[in-house]
């Protein structure tokens, strides 16, 4: 392939195609140069001297900041709207789409995966139960299987073990799976409010670079983790504090010479292996605080960042560890538990000790080791007591304080998400409130989707 | 009035019928004992051990408190006062087995055992020790040994559980080699019945004939007295050995430590009755505590809703306890080794906190180390071991219930 480009050609292309294409040419990539539309300096000016249209700025009056009443543009209408693109949200969106619903998913960050990717919680913990048996099947298992086929995407995928993934591989895979399913996606879109009609949710409001917009939906799946949407809708919940940490990754661990370090100085808390050679992910538990408090979140980010950096300096000062470096701190703070829905039913510790079986089981959760038995997730734990048309998915479902630490684990969020997605699709199809949805039908579809229901 | 001839006839019939009748009753008792012990019924389990007069009398003296479970044994004790060796001749399953072995020995032309009754010494030592709470040879009770056979059957892979079975087998062999060795020579329960019958006869003959047989110079009484004094001395030593170390992890309801180690008959009822398999025989403590029940929380823990071990103890060494007393029945106190605790490594874990039934564990953030540290509230904790059973670290648990110091 002829990559040689004359200076005149180059300048012409710069003028025509803009800097991005030019850059590709300079680095000699074998990308075929294609005409990507009008994007020269002139054509990139979309408007001049523009005043933002449809402005409804808040007004300071009598010492109070008032947001004026205003109509919101409707971005789209959908059967099932999934708010939040973490493990639960992505599983919900794919499951609902596969169950035949028209699905839209919105995500506040620029990628899918939530705490699994953005939070760098790379460990798949909680997918096994006594046996050892893998209880997380369905979409979770599908993801793990597909990651296995990818290069350096997952390690330790053996029966009874907890696999670790690569965040970038997961981000890529989730895009692929969401696109395959045919889900309507809006990234960089922060769900901020519920749209209500009496006690029924009719959609949600989003804040983005395009301003505040509404999406109407027959059923909303609240996969925000914090229960932002059901809380905004007025559903009762329990407000809990929990440990907030910040995960980081360290690199060059394959260039460490531990023999040089005296035993007493050997750095501890160096994390666990990832699919990338020489790179570990390092968990941080952090203090138990309120994850809904802005000042707290800010303080946690700053404190944790200082701690991680200083610890790295200390590590590097140990002989043999000079080459270790901090690859990154997670873009997303590790908030574990905030709001817990008061649902029609509740997941309790008895579910494990007494192996409770629910007639409306929509999933089976596991634990971090193969020591404990499996526990069933009743559909009622996803449904608010009073508010209609919203389902909780992920770590915010109705559970007692002892179970919250199992419910919030990533594989269990897959299971819960998939259940919420299918339930949403069934409720939307039958035009009924999720509380009245045909549970037998939900279970049938979940089984078709290869979900393990005990 | 019946004629003397008729009475004589009846008497001769009785002697012909009775050996058979007695054999059948003994076999029936043996089968009943097996049925009580084999498929574990919590209600039946303690009956076999509790019916022993030796266990009942020695336990009553040692604890100086009445446990309902002792009633049976005390009733049998009353009976043997008037019917010499009634218990041995009609009820004792161990006796039947030993008699069988002795008969075999006689057929093999072995010379029956004839000698001083070691059993009386054992009895005297035990009762002497019981005076200060340490009945020394209670574990040699025939019914305790018999119950212990089933502990071996229940835990065939645990050598310590075979203790009673080994002794039982050794005694069977001894009875073949020297018929009647156990019942006539060694059994402290038999000796107790002899002494009681002797006392009762003495009292009755004193009352009827108004003559005094209770001569303090009598060799039996003198030996018994020496035995009791020696037992007191032995028990003092045993208490000294047990008193030095902190009380090990005992089943909830177990009475105070030095008394417990000797009051426990080592029958193994509690081991077999525990639905969670957390009771094991002590093999690491001092010799005085050898084979007594201790708790291990490696795989399971002492549940809030279970008092099974307290219900099956034949003599109240593990005293019965209402369920609501359980939170206050302190077994031990968990300690955390932060060198292996996952929280110290910042790994994701909340197992001990989740499984603590008494909400006694909190995780405190330690600013200095920037990690969480599990903190146990000793007021709430009863040492049930749920935290240790749940702890995922392997092979050593990061949180372990240890004796109170």
């Amino acid at each position: 392939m002829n990559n040689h480009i004359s200076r005149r050609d180059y300048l012409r292309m710069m003028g025509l195609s803009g800097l991005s294409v030019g850059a590709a040419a300079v680095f000699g990539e074998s990308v075929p140069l294609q005409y990507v539309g009008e994007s020269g300096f002139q054509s990139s000016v979309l408007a001049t001297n523009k005043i933002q249209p449809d402005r409804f700025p808040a007004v300071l009056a009598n010492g109070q900041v008032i947001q004026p009443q205003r109509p919101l543009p409707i971005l789209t209408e959908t059967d099932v709207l999934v708010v939040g693109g973490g493990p639960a949200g992505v599983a919900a969106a794919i499951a609902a789409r596969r169950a035949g619903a028209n699905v839209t998913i919105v995500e506040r960050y620029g990628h899918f995966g939530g705490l699994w990717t953005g939070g760098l919680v790379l460990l798949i913990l909680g997918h096994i139960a006594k046996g050892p048996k893998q209880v997380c099947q369905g979409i979770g298992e599908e993801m793990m299987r597909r990651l296995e086929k990818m290069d350096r995407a997952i390690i330790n995928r053996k029966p009874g073990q907890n696999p670790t993934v690569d965040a970038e591989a997961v981000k890529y895979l989730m895009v692929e799976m969401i696109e395959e399913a045919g889900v309507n996606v809006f990234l960089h879109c922060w769900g901020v409010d519920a749209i209500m009609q009496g006690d029924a949710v009719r959609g949600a409001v989003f804040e983005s670079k395009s301003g505040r917009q509404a999406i109407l939906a027959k059923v909303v799946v609240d996969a925000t983790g914090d229960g932002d949407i059901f809380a905004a809708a007025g559903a009762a919940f329990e407000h809990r504090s929990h440990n907030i940490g910040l995960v980081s990754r360290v690199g060059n661990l394959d260039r460490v010479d531990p023999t040089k370090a005296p035993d007493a100085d050997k750095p501890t808390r160096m994390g666990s292996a990832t699919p990338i050679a020489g790179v570990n992910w390092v968990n941080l538990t952090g203090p138990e605080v309120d994850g809904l408090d802005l000042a707290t979140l800010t303080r946690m980010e700053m404190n944790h960042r200082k701690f991680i950096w200083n610890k790295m300096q200390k590590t590097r000062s140990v002989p043999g560890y000079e080459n270790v470096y901090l690859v990154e701190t997670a873009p997303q703070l590790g908030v574990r538990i905030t709001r817990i829905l008061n649902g029609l039913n509740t997941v309790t510790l008895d579910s494990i000790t007494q192996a409770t079986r629910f007639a409306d089981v929509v999933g089976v959760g596991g634990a971090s080791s193969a020591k404990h038995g499996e526990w069933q997730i009743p559909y009622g734990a996803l449904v608010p007591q009073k508010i209609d048309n919203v389902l909780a998915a992920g770590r915010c479902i109705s559970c007692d304080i002892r179970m919250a630490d199992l419910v919030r684990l990533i594989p269990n969020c897959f299971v819960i998400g998939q259940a919420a997605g299918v339930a949403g699709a069934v409720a939307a199809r039958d035009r009924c409130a999720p509380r009245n949805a045909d549970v037998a039908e939900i279970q049938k579809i979940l089984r078709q989707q290869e979900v393990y229901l005990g | 009035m019946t004629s003397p001839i008729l009475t004589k006839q009846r008497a001769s019939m009785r002697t012909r019928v009775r050996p058979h009748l007695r054999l059948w009753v003994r076999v029936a008792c043996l089968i009943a004992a097996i049925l009580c012990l084999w498929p574990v019924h919590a209600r039946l389990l303690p009956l076999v051990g509790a019916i022993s007069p030796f266990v009942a009398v020695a336990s009553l003296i040692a604890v100086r408190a009445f446990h309902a479970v002792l009633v049976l044994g005390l009733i049998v004790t009353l009976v043997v006062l008037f019917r010499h060796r009634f218990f041995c001749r009609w009820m004792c399953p161990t006796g039947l087995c030993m008699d069988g072995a002795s008969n075999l020995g006689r057929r093999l032309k072995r010379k029956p055992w004839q000698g001083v009754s070691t059993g009386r010494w054992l009895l005297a030592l035990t009762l002497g020790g019981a005076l200060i709470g340490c009945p020394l040879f209670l574990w040699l009770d025939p019914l305790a040994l018999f119950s212990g056979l089933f502990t071996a059957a229940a835990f065939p892979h645990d050598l310590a559980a075979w203790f009673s079975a080994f002794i039982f087998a050794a005694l069977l062999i001894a009875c073949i080699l020297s018929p009647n060795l156990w019942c006539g020579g060694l059994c402290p329960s038999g000796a107790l019945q002899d002494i009681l019958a002797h006392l009762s006869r003495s009292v009755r003959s004193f009352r009827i004939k108004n003559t005094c047989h209770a001569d303090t110079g009598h060799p039996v009484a003198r030996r018994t007295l020496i035995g009791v004094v020696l037992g007191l001395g032995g028990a003092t030593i045993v208490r000294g050995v047990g008193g030095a170390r902190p009380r090990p992890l005992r089943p909830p309801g177990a009475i105070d430590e030095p008394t417990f180690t000797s009051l426990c008959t080592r029958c193994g009822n509690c081991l077999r009755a525990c639905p969670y398999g957390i009771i094991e025989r002590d093999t690491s403590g001092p010799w005085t505590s050898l084979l007594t029940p201790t708790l291990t929380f490696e795989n399971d823990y002492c549940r809030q809703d279970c008092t099974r071990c307290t219900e099956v103890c034949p003599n109240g060494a593990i005293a019965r306890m209402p369920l609501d007393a359980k939170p206050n029945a302190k077994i031990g106190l968990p300690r955390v080794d932060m060198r292996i605790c996952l929280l110290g490594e910042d790994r994701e874990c909340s197992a001990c906190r989740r499984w603590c039934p008494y909400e006694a564990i909190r995780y405190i953030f330690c600013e200095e180390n920037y990690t969480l540290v599990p903190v146990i509230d000793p007021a709430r904790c009863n040492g049930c071991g749920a935290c240790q059973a749940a702890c995922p670290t392997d092979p050593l648990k990061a949180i372990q219930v240890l004796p109170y110091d």
Side-chain angles (χ1 to χ4, degrees), chain B residues 31-42 44-48 272:
Chain B
I31 292 170
I34 292 172
L35 288 180
C36 284
L37 290 168
W38 183 236
V40 177
H41 296 301
L44 300 178
L45 204 53
L47 295 184
V48 176
R272 273 175 292 139

Side-chain angles (χ1 to χ4, degrees), chain A residues 386-400:
Chain A
K386 279 208 181 111
I387 306 298
D388 270 326
N389 294 354
V390 62
L391 289 169
R395 60 172 152 98
C396 51
I397 66 162
S398 191
C399 63
D400 77 7

